[in-house]
Amino acid sequence: MPVRIQQNDFDLSTEIAALRASNSAVGAVASFVGIARDVNVGDVIQTLTLEHYPGMTEKVLQELIEQAKQRWKIFDALIVHRVGTLKPQDQIVLVAVTGVHRDDALSACQFIMDFLKTDAPFWKKEMTAQGERWVAARRSDTEAAARWSRPIKCTKNTL
Amino acid sequence: MKIRVCFFAGIREAVGVEEECFELPSNIKNLEQLRDWYVTRGEPWSSALSPTRAVRAALNHQMCDWDVLIMANSEIAFFPPVTGG
């Protein structure tokens, strides 16, 4: 399954081994793991609770993988995103991409992660000593995704 | 025509409703008009979906612009800007 939404934790090595197991042409694996931080906007975070829109989430993430496959020479991609209540230092998200060479794998991984941030229907709620609050969307995430609509030549120069 | 409307995250909490199905008033054609109609319900709807708040909409699991037309049996969702990853 290239897209999984789950409460359970994941193991990077196990996921990558499975992703490239049946393909001896893979020469590069790029991966990104997002981690829950202990401080946000100056406040200590006790827990982080993630909610999503079942059905739409899987569809959006699958489409991102398809777009990455059309744009770069990659074999496959995996997205694992956790939901439910997490603690600081817990893993939140994994994106892994297999390809022949590193350039395409790295770019595709970053592309998927950038658009996951702006397009995939997940929401985070933080518990702090002052109570709970929904995390606000960041302008820098929108800007990160926007660069990919530039011509590919320019995009690559910015990496 | 019948539609289903879902709410997520802070908007769901504010309105106290996860989803509802109803017959769409015939004068509502697009997502913006549906949002405006909710605002006329009064509180907590008018604050949660106020034009001054950042609200996103999806039609049948696809994020959409506000002028997109609503079709019969559509599933519409209103939610805040997403914050995953």
Side-chain angles (χ1 to χ4, degrees):
Chain A
M1 275 289 290
V3 171
R4 295 201 324 260
I5 313 298
Q6 61 187 44
Q7 296 204 354
N8 295 341
D9 198 7
F10 54 82
D11 177 69
L12 175 63
S13 300
T14 306
E15 299 294 351
I16 287 179
L19 188 64
R20 67 185 187 85
S22 59
N23 189 348
S24 57
V26 169
V29 180
S31 66
F32 172 86
V33 177
I35 314 286
R37 286 175 291 125
D38 63 347
V39 173
N40 192 28
V41 205
D43 292 315
V44 173
I45 306 304
Q46 297 168 346
T47 61
L48 191 64
T49 300
L50 280 125
E51 164 180 340
H52 78 119
Y53 182 178
M56 179 172 168
T57 315
E58 293 85 348
K59 184 180 169 211
V60 168
L61 297 179
Q62 190 59 54
E63 284 172 1
L64 285 181
I65 291 176
E66 294 307 316
Q67 289 170 26
K69 282 182 174 176
Q70 288 173 17
R71 192 157 177 172
W72 290 281
K73 284 185 183 172
I74 59 172
F75 291 119
D76 212 349
L78 168 72
I79 304 173
V80 181
H81 203 299
R82 296 178 69 189
V83 291
T85 299
L86 306 178
K87 301 183 302 298
Q89 299 189 353
D90 282 351
Q91 301 186 113
I92 303 174
V93 59
L94 163 67
V95 176
V97 178
T98 57
V100 178
H101 299 295
R102 69 182 184 283
D103 277 358
D104 286 324
L106 285 166
S107 295
C109 185
Q110 189 156 18
F111 169 90
I112 290 170
M113 196 56 222
D114 282 351
F115 279 101
L116 183 154
K117 281 274 187 183
T118 58
D119 290 11
F122 292 98
W123 300 274
K124 290 193 188 101
K125 184 193 256 183
E126 298 171 334
M127 177 62 81
T128 73
Q130 288 75 44
E132 57 184 28
R133 65 188 185 199
W134 289 98
V135 173
R138 295 192 307 171
R139 179 185 295 266
S140 59
D141 288 332
T142 308
E143 291 167 354
R147 68 186 145 155
W148 295 107
S149 58
R150 296 174 189 167
I152 290 173
K153 194 177 165 190
C154 295
T155 304
K156 284 200 165 177
N157 288 343
T158 64
L159 287 176
Chain B
M1 59 186 179
K2 263 199 155 10
I3 60 164
R4 175 194 302 268
V5 184
C6 311
F7 304 92
F8 289 95
I11 293 177
R12 184 199 66 243
E13 284 188 342
V15 301
V17 173
E18 277 187 33
E19 63 174 66
E20 56 184 11
C21 297
F22 57 91
E23 188 73 23
L24 188 70
S26 59
N27 59 322
I28 298 176
K29 306 294 183 195
N30 64 30
L31 294 172
E32 184 175 26
Q33 290 166 352
L34 179 61
R35 179 179 175 176
D36 291 344
W37 177 77
Y38 271 112
V39 169
T40 65
R41 273 190 180 180
E43 295 298 347
W45 302 88
S46 45
S47 291
L49 294 170
S50 159
T52 62
R53 283 189 59 164
V55 177
R56 302 285 181 266
L59 181 74
N60 296 327
H61 292 168
Q62 181 145 23
M63 212 139 18
C64 287
D65 290 330
W66 290 102
D67 60 355
V68 167
L69 295 175
I70 299 170
M71 299 156 289
N73 302 313
S74 291
E75 179 172 305
I76 292 148
F78 292 109
F79 44 80
V82 301
T83 55

